[in-house]
Amino acid sequence: MQFTVAIDGPAASGKGTIARALADSFGFAHLDTGLLYRAVAMKGGDPVAAAHSLCAEDLTRGDLRTLAAGEAASRVAAIPELRAALTEFQRDFARREGGAVLDGRDIGTVICPGADVKLFVIASPETRARRRWQEAGAGSYEAVLEQVRTRDARDMERADAPLRPADDAVLLDTTDLSIAEAVAQARALVAARLSR
Ligand code: C5P
């Protein structure tokens, strides 16, 4: 069975948590596509060459989840040739037997426009900054909020594959939801689509 769930949204909206929970619940494989861009950015050298030569080991670096890696990723992610180099890998992953859930910025719009379920997960910038700041356990909340706003603007305003909901995506606002509530809503959508 092939079944693809596409989850997009800005940083710290909750899309990764929802994607992992859906993968667990339904036995789907999960790909955090942000990790690909983070790994390319942290590999150094020419970013397009880095994307072409990306290997499994690059995805296990310990520093990929840092704020600095996210910032660097959003800069290289604006390069069209780099995005093109990562497209086929993501599409192959989406087509795998047994179902797949991919989370990122352009999954529902560019990578998997025919996905069976599309979710666009949002939350207010203040809520997302607070989540990231609490995760980091250091630094100032204001500085994290500023980073969140800058990264949102860069991801939404780039010419190639900007962050935006697909026309047929379901919007899920997690600002006032617990993780359990957000996951339950996403799970219900997937279950409904699977039973059709
Ligand atoms: O989701 P995450 O915060 O790990 O993504 C890091 C950066 O990688 C994003 O800010 C975005 O610029 C880029 N990205 C992207 N397309 C994706 C996933 C991530 O452009 N599908």
Side-chain angles (χ1 to χ4, degrees), residues 8-9 11-12 15 32-35 37-38 64-65 69-71 73-75 77-78 83 90 103-107 111 132 151 155 158 161:
D8 294 303
K15 63 185 188 309
D32 168 2
T33 64
L35 216 53
Y37 292 88
R38 287 169 182 258
L64 295 185
R65 305 271 177 199
E71 177 66 21
S74 93
R75 289 179 190 278
R83 303 195 70 83
Q90 296 174 81
D103 72 90
R105 302 292 187 290
D106 62 341
I107 308 303
I111 302 295
R132 277 289 144 92
R151 187 127 76 91
D155 287 349
R158 69 179 175 225

Side-chain angles (χ1 to χ4, degrees), residues 87-104:
T87 298
E88 219 34 58
F89 173 77
Q90 296 174 81
R91 287 190 179 147
D92 283 347
F93 191 96
R95 282 192 290 258
R96 66 170 50 198
E97 271 306 305
V101 48
L102 289 80
D103 72 90

Side-chain angles (χ1 to χ4, degrees), residues 124-142:
S124 73
E126 292 77 12
T127 300
R128 293 185 286 118
R130 201 170 51 252
R131 291 173 185 163
R132 277 289 144 92
W133 176 61
Q134 284 167 348
E135 266 169 30
S140 94
Y141 163 77
E142 282 71 24

Side-chain angles (χ1 to χ4, degrees), residues 14-35:
K15 63 185 188 309
T17 303
I18 293 170
R20 280 190 298 277
L22 291 179
D24 274 358
S25 298
F26 296 98
F28 298 155
H30 170 227
L31 180 64
D32 168 2
T33 64
L35 216 53

